[in-house]
Amino acid sequence: MNLSTTFTGVRFDNPFLLSSAPPTESESNITRAFEAGWGGVVTKTIGLHPVVNVVGPKTQFLRADANSARLSMKKRPAAALHSSWNWELISDKTLDWWVPRIGRIKRAFPDKVLVASIMAGSGSDSELRHWQALALACQEQGSDALELNLSCPHMDRPDMGSNVGRDKELVSIVTRAVKDVAKIPVWAKLTPSTTDIVLEARGAFLGGADAISSSNTFTSLPLIDPDTLEFEINVDGLVSTGGLGGPAILPLSLAKMSQMTQAFPENSFSGIGGISTFDHALNYFLLGCGTVQVCTAAMLDHAVGPNVIRELKQGLACFLEKNAARGWTSVSDFVGIRRDRVVAQAKVRRPTDRDYRGGYETEGYASADDAPAAERSA
Ligand SMILES: Cc1cc2nc3c(=O)[nH]c(=O)nc-3n(C[C@H](O)[C@H](O)[C@H](O)COP(=O)(O)O)c2cc1C
């Protein structure tokens, strides 16, 4: 069955991508990913300067027991995946390492989509030129699109990663700088760790973004082991904030996505966060995403997710077959059809005729004067 779709003007043989992360950190992984059937990949984020990661594991998986409330990264039988936690920086390979590999991969897989994820600082004009240098180098090698990492949750610098993504002006400025030199579509990957993501999304679109990718991981800490009193992941007892991904973030990421697709119904979105099956991906499509991306589930499935992509493609094929009578032949036929079902509380029917007014009127509430004195003074 034809699962193809067009997103930001780029043709995909299916709408499923590996997101920027360990599954796309090397030429061999990306090659395996394309052979396994992924429609596209977003490379591990490429920067101008080499980074050095912490000693020890960069990612761990938090699991939940079926018969108790225990949550732990410790390996044990019959525990279900709750989330991934990572504090891995961007690619530890330089641009010079990536450039020939991007070219080779594109020549070997001309029909697959290769999106280059890039990141630089944004505190000065010369740093903005770094974004442009990265964009031009990846574009020249045949990348199909660029994804701006405005969302890595563990950068110390205030002008990098999610610190940029929390600042609508910087989001706009960086996007515009890249758009000034890009001939290929530019996607802005925003952080979910912000108060009102619609503001940053508007900044990205004002800067000329062709699409928004969301979510990156949520800013978070690993749990403390109650026996050792140490964080379950630490180096010499120390930890810094990192990012939560996987099943735990699916509903959180959907809420962020729904805010953006409602605010910008005509724009393009690539949904990320907690996807491991077609049923998960379907949520993003129905809320208004034209493609989706996967990380945690792929990391746990032979590093590049061969079984995950098989299920996603089969799931989409079955879904299209089941809904053939509606005339649906591709993802674009059902993108966004549940976008407007998310409404303000006051719009949801009440059991009686008496209106609820979203708390704007005293009707239905005790007035402040009726509250017990202790509560009033609290
Ligand atoms: C170990 C690890 C490394 C990651 N590195 C990057 C990165 O370099 N650039 C980026 O944009 N996102 C990075 N991400 C975020 C993922 O691309 C993705 O947005 C996030 O994990 C949510 O998707 P998931 O729930 O499918 O894991 C990383 C995630 C993990 C777990």
Side-chain angles (χ1 to χ4, degrees):
M1 181 177 285
N2 180 8
L3 305 181
S4 70
T5 193
T6 300
F7 181 76
T8 63
V10 179
R11 187 192 176 276
F12 289 75
D13 63 26
N14 66 66
F16 306 114
L17 292 87
L18 279 176
S19 71
S20 174
T24 61
E25 71 185 3
S26 64
E27 184 175 0
S28 60
N29 271 13
I30 295 174
T31 299
R32 282 176 58 214
F34 283 153
E35 284 166 357
W38 291 95
V41 303
V42 185
T43 66
K44 176 78 189 161
T45 300
I46 307 166
L48 269 192
H49 306 295
V51 300
V52 180
N53 277 294
V54 297
V55 173
K58 292 167 283 179
T59 311
Q60 291 279 25
F61 300 94
L62 190 64
R63 291 192 164 83
D65 289 353
N67 302 319
S68 81
R70 182 170 178 226
L71 283 177
S72 174
M73 288 173 174
K74 293 215 178 85
K75 288 221 172 85
R76 55 210 194 276
L81 181 68
H82 171 277
S83 52
S84 61
W85 187 88
N86 90 90
W87 55 353
E88 176 178 287
L89 298 173
I90 62 172
S91 176
D92 53 11
K93 311 287 195 309
T94 60
L95 178 63
D96 289 345
W97 185 91
W98 275 101
V99 159
R101 286 167 178 83
I102 291 175
R104 269 206 303 269
I105 295 167
K106 262 319 287 183
R107 284 192 295 279
F109 297 94
D111 298 332
K112 292 286 183 183
V113 176
L114 192 140
V115 182
S117 169
I118 56 173
M119 183 206 268
S122 48
S124 66
D125 283 354
S126 74
E127 307 234 52
L128 291 177
R129 282 195 289 276
H130 290 168
W131 282 98
Q132 294 179 326
L134 289 162
L136 285 169
C138 296
Q139 174 170 280
E140 274 160 22
Q141 292 302 318
S143 297
D144 297 287
L146 298 164
E147 188 178 84
L148 313 183
N149 183 339
L150 308 171
S151 46
C152 176
H154 28 257
M155 305 303 298
D156 288 345
R157 279 178 57 165
D159 66 332
M160 272 193 164
S162 59
N163 296 326
V164 177
R166 271 192 279 272
D167 180 327
K168 60 184 191 300
E169 272 96 25
L170 269 187
V171 166
S172 215
I173 288 167
V174 168
T175 309
R176 172 54 56 204
V178 175
K179 278 297 286 184
D180 281 348
V181 299
K183 295 196 187 77
I184 51 180
V186 175
W187 308 355
K189 185 169 176 182
L190 294 182
T191 176
S193 301
T194 175
T195 313
D196 181 2
I197 198 166
V198 170
L199 300 179
E200 289 88 37
R202 182 170 295 117
F205 288 132
L206 285 173
D210 298 280
I212 284 176
S213 312
S214 176
S215 286
N216 203 315
T217 48
F218 284 66
T219 301
S220 58
L221 284 175
L223 300 184
I224 296 176
D225 182 322
D227 295 325
T228 63
L229 305 188
E230 297 292 350
F231 287 97
E232 285 200 311
I233 184 166
N234 73 78
V235 176
D236 307 328
L238 300 179
V239 72
S240 70
T241 53
L244 199 75
I249 73 165
L250 174 62
L252 301 172
S253 178
L254 289 175
K256 293 284 179 189
M257 187 50 81
S258 149
Q259 282 181 279
M260 291 190 285
T261 58
Q262 285 202 345
F264 307 101
E266 303 303 322
N267 291 32
S268 298
F269 294 89
S270 188
I272 321 171
I275 298 171
S276 62
T277 67
F278 176 73
D279 290 356
H280 299 154
L282 181 61
N283 285 272
Y284 287 98
F285 293 135
L286 296 178
L287 287 174
C289 297
T291 58
V292 294
Q293 306 182 26
V294 176
C295 168
T296 299
M299 285 179 78
L300 289 168
D301 172 25
H302 302 86
V304 298
N307 296 301
V308 174
I309 182 58
R310 187 175 326 114
E311 195 281 339
L312 286 169
K313 287 169 62 182
Q314 271 168 7
L316 174 56
C318 287
F319 184 79
L320 288 174
E321 214 171 277
K322 202 166 76 187
N323 289 286
R326 298 183 202 240
W328 294 352
T329 56
S330 88
V331 159
S332 57
D333 292 322
F334 55 89
V335 164
I337 64 166
R338 289 292 175 267
R339 180 175 45 222
D340 298 330
R341 294 289 181 91
V342 184
V343 296
Q345 258 268 333
K347 295 232 161 64
V348 181
R349 188 164 58 86
R350 306 283 138 182
T352 69
D353 291 345
R354 200 159 153 206
D355 272 348
Y356 168 70
R357 301 186 196 284
Y360 286 111
E361 294 179 20
T362 52
E363 184 184 355
Y365 286 99
S367 81
D369 295 340
D370 297 337
E375 224 170 82
R376 280 205 302 275
S377 59

